[in-house]
Amino acid sequence: MKFGLCTLSRTESPVESVVRTAGDVGYDGVEIWGKDHVDSGDEGVCRSIRDAAQTHDLEIPVYGSYARAGSAEFGDEIADEVAIADRLDADLIRLWAGSQEYGDHDDAHWEAVVEDLETAAELAADRGLAVTVEKHANTLTNDTEGAERLIEAVSHPACLLNWQPVFGMPADEVVADAERLVGLSNNVHIQAVPDPESSPSDRCLLEDAYFDVEAILEVFAADGFDGFVNVEFVTDDVAYEEAIEADLEYLRSLAV
C-alpha cells in the first residue's frame, strides 16, 4: 500500500503549497480537495496541480469531489466532475452516497443513489477511472451494513468504497468494520481522535488514536490492498508540517 495526504488537511493554503509540503515530507501521493483547491477545474488549473505533483514525485490517486448521488443536482454535475478527475490524472473520483442514513432511509432515495452511482461508475470507467464512495455519517454508508449493501447493490467493478474509521464506534468495532468492508474498498482515509466520544475538532496524532491503527493496516495488507491510505486531517496541537510528518512516519513504521 501507499500513503497519501489529502489536501483537505490544509484548506487555507494554495493547493500547490500543500502538494509541495507533502512531497518534502515524503508522501507517495496527494488526494486533491474538490472545492477551493480545484477552483473551476479547467485544464489550466488541473495542469498546474498535475505539474506540482510531478515536480514533487507525487501521484494523484483521488479527486475528492463533493457530488452527492441521489441529489437533484447530481445528473447535471457528474460528467463535469469525472472530467476534472480525468484532467488531474487521478485514478479515482470520490462521491457521496446520498443524504439519508441507512436504516432511516426511504426506498426511493436508496434507488436514486444506486442508479446515480451506476451512472457515475460507467462514466468513470469510460475514462479509465473508478469511483470511491465516501463512508460517512448522514449518508447511506454511515454504518457497516449500509456500506456493504450499497456497494453490492451498485455491483459495478468501477464503484467501491472509500473506507474510513467512523468516530463513536468502540475500538474493536472499528477493526471489525474494516474486516468486513476491506474487500469492497479501493481507497482509505485515516485520521484520529483520542477517545470514541471525542469531537472531530479534537484530532490527535495517529499514534494516539483510540483505535488500533496497526490492526487496520494489517487488515488491508492481508487482503492484498494495493491502493492508498490517505491522511485526511491532522491535529492542530503541533505545526502542520510536523503533524503530517509524524503521521506518515507512524504509518510507515507499522507497514514494515
Side-chain angles (χ1 to χ4, degrees), residues 16-239:
E16 292 85 359
S17 173
V18 184
V19 170
R20 181 177 64 252
T21 304
D24 290 345
V25 166
Y27 281 86
D28 300 310
V30 280
E31 177 176 322
I32 304 300
W33 180 44
K35 290 192 176 178
D36 292 355
H37 279 174
V38 294
D39 192 26
S40 65
D42 64 24
E43 179 55 42
V45 169
C46 292
R47 184 187 309 113
S48 177
I49 296 171
R50 292 196 317 266
D51 289 349
Q54 183 175 17
T55 296
H56 296 285
D57 296 319
L58 295 166
E59 298 180 45
I60 299 178
V62 185
Y63 164 53
S65 170
Y66 286 83
R68 193 175 290 267
S71 69
E73 301 79 21
F74 190 83
D76 293 329
E77 62 190 8
I78 187 55
D80 288 341
E81 292 293 276
V82 170
I84 292 171
D86 192 26
R87 290 180 201 126
L88 289 169
D89 284 340
D91 299 313
L92 304 173
I93 176 172
R94 185 194 63 177
L95 300 175
W96 291 65
S99 55
Q100 298 177 9
E101 292 201 332
Y102 182 75
D104 292 323
H105 66 279
D106 59 60
D107 290 344
H109 189 64
W110 175 273
E111 291 167 4
V113 171
V114 170
E115 182 176 345
D116 281 349
L117 290 176
E118 290 171 342
T119 298
E122 287 292 337
L123 289 171
D126 285 346
R127 292 177 177 260
L129 310 175
V131 169
T132 188
V133 181
E134 181 82 351
K135 185 174 188 294
H136 205 278
N138 302 313
T139 76
L140 291 171
T141 59
N142 64 296
D143 70 5
T144 309
E145 182 179 351
E148 181 178 55
R149 281 200 59 211
L150 182 66
I151 297 303
E152 290 176 345
V154 175
S155 189
H156 194 293
C159 183
L160 294 173
L161 191 68
N162 185 119
W163 186 88
Q164 62 183 3
V166 176
F167 302 154
M169 278 186 171
D172 59 338
E173 290 185 20
V174 175
V175 177
D177 183 74
E179 290 172 338
R180 184 164 164 184
L181 297 174
V182 59
L184 299 175
S185 301
N186 57 5
N187 195 54
V188 176
H189 281 174
I190 193 76
Q191 56 170 303
V193 291
D195 182 273
E197 301 306 318
S198 297
S199 164
S201 63
D202 295 327
R203 294 182 185 94
C204 62
L205 293 172
L206 289 177
E207 64 184 12
D208 297 324
Y210 79 87
F211 53 87
D212 192 337
V213 176
E214 182 174 15
I216 289 168
L217 294 188
E218 288 174 349
V219 166
F220 279 85
D223 197 67
F225 179 77
D226 61 357
F228 270 78
V229 174
N230 297 295
V231 174
E232 187 177 19
F233 292 102
V234 295
T235 181
D236 292 328
D237 292 342
V238 297

